[in-house]
């Protein structure tokens, strides 16, 4: 009798243990299903307002407004710099024409001397010539001078007629300074400077000068005008010693706040509003960053719990793809976007307060952040099954696409190096390695094919023949085979995803496990404590 009673008690204990274990499994399934719900479903399940969703929508609006505001300011700055550079070319290069941009060159000694003296005289007489607000730089109350520097080999004896030369490759530099507010003609300037060039060993002549101006066009957009220092260098390049001296004008710009300013009818209110708006953007992005990081951390913790659960109940190892389901890539995208926006907004504040002038870095940060913010909008379209096909296809095809691109890149790089070394001396589009990559990528997309073939017609026969074999084989291989296979790879993934959506077949262990939970968001089952399933992670709960 005692043995029979003990057996009945053991059976009742096992029955209660199994019942509790099944209940724990249902709770854990429900917890997983709730984790993968979209914000609207979570609101119906627990009544929690989707603050994170509303914050992301607010971010899209304020970040776009911030980018448009900065873009207009940056556009005025870039336009002002480019127009001033064009002005300097017309002021200081004799006979310069716009259509000769990048091809201005001199071929005689007289022209070189004439152009150097021309630049000096134009600089001295600048106030009587320019229509802009240009002024000389002052250092300690004195005008900064213009400097003319020449670089040349230390010593050389070159005689092409006898095919002999003797050269010391060390480079020497000699500079002279000329102060403005003087007046010379070419003859008096030549005697005053005592300036001569030895063209046989001359490498370059550079004329350096600094001019100051103010960008007044920002006043019309209710922005405080900036002061600019243009450090201009006019370079006469003779390094090739080919009889052609290339001439170019380059400038380096320093932007800073003007020392004393007054704009009638304005105040600092606009500046304060812009700074306040940028601060709001930083605050919103920082809040979004914290919320998304918390969600990522919760997902990683739940992933470890799921891994333990599967090992405990099913004695299986969760696949890597299933584990990555818990790491929401959209949250990673938002975290990167928020980080870039915070950094870009901080730089924008520094630019507005004139402590920083790096417009390019700020543009890259804000532009990339805004692009990622708008890309993340696809996440919310993915809540609707008819729009979700694009996201699922991209995610499923991405690993195969990367592997395919790595293989195709080997062939592509081989063609790049071959074209650069063989066709580079004869074809402008193959002159440098970066030009080769751009040209071949354009050919893959069917752009500018005839012009690429046409420029090789007048070359030597063997080079012309090689170019035909090279171009025909590349275009045939990449357009008819590689590109077609690339499209077929994505199309096949799309058909697979579409088939799974129609048949509603779970494609992973995780989805199959969650699909067993039939509780709808409106059922009220999700109101219970989500941590109630933690007991199911203990093996002793079900196994004695």
């Amino acid at each position: 009798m005692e043995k029979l009673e003990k057996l009945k008690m053991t059976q009742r204990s096992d029955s209660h243990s199994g019942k509790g274990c099944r209940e724990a499994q249902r709770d854990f399934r429900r917890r997983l299903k709730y984790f993968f719900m979209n914000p609207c479903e979570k609101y119906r399940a627990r009544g929690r307002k989707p603050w994170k969703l509303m914050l992301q929508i607010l971010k899209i609006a304020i970040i776009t407004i911030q980018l448009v505001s900065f873009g207009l300011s940056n556009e005025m700055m870039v336009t002002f710099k480019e127009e001033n550079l064009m002005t300097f070319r017309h002021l200081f290069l004799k006979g310069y024409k716009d259509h000769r941009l990048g091809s201005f060159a001199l071929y005689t000694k007289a022209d070189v001397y004439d152009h150097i003296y021309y630049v000096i005289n134009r600089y001295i007489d600048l106030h009587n010539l320019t229509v802009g607000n240009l002024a000389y730089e002052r250092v300690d109350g004195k005008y900064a001078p213009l400097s003319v520097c020449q670089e040349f080999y230390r010593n050389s004896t070159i005689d092409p007629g006898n095919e002999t030369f003797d050269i010391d490759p060390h480079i020497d530099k000699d500079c002279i300074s000329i102060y403005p507010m003087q007046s010379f003609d070419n003859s008096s300037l030549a005697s005053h400077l005592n300036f001569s060039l030895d063209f046989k060993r001359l490498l370059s002549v550079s004329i350096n000068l600094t001019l100051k101006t103010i960008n007044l066009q920002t006043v019309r957009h209710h922005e405080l005008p900036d002061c600019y220092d243009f450090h201009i260098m006019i370079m006469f390049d003779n390094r090739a010693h080919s009889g052609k001296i290339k001439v170019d004008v380059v400038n380096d710009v320093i932007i800073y706040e003007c020392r004393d300013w007054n704009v009638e009818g304005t105040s600092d209110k606009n500046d304060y509003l812009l700074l306040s708006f940028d601060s709001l953007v930083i605050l919103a992005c920082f809040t979004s960053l914290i919320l998304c990081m918390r969600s990522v951390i919760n997902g990683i913790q739940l992933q470890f719990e799921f891994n333990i659960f599967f090992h405990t109940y099913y004695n299986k190892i969760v696949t890597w793809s299933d584990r990555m389901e818990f790491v929401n890539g959209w949250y990673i995208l938002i975290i990167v976007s928020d980080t870039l926006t915070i950094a870009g907004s901080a730089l924008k504040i520094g630019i507005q307060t004139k402590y920083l002038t790096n417009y390019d870095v700020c543009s890259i940060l804000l532009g990339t952040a805004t692009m990622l913010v708008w890309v993340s909008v696809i996440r919310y379209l993915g809540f609707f099954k008819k729009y979700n096909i694009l996201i699922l296809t991209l995610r499923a095809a991405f690993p195969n696409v990367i592997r395919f691109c790595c293989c195709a890149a080997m062939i592509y790089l081989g063609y790049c190096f071959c074209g650069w070394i063989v066709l580079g001396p004869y074809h402008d589009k193959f002159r440098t390695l970066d030009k080769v990559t751009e040209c071949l990528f354009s050919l893959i997309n069917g752009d500018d094919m005839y012009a690429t073939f046409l420029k090789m017609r007048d070359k030597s026969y063997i080079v012309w023949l090689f170019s035909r074999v090279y171009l025909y084989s590349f275009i045939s291989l990449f357009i008819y085979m590689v590109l077609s296979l690339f499209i077929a790879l994505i199309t096949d993934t799309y058909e697979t995803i579409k088939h799974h959506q129609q048949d509603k077949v779970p494609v992973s262990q995780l989805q199959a496990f969650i699909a067993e939970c039939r509780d709808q968001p409106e059922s009220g089952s999700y109101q219970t404590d989500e941590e109630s399933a933690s007991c199911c992670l203990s093996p002793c709960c079900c196994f004695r």
Side-chain angles (χ1 to χ4, degrees), residues 27 58 154 203 237 303 308 377 401 500 540 544:
D27 291 341
L58 174 65
R154 182 171 297 173
L203 292 173
D237 188 3
Q303 175 217 123
I308 296 172
V377 175
V401 166
H500 282 306
C540 64
R544 303 171 65 89

Side-chain angles (χ1 to χ4, degrees), residues 152-158 165-172 198 200-201:
F152 48 87
Y153 291 123
R154 182 171 297 173
N155 186 27
S156 65
T157 303
I158 302 173
F165 67 90
D166 180 16
I167 189 168
D168 183 351
H170 292 89
I171 298 174
D172 289 336
D198 185 354
K200 288 187 177 180
R201 56 193 183 111

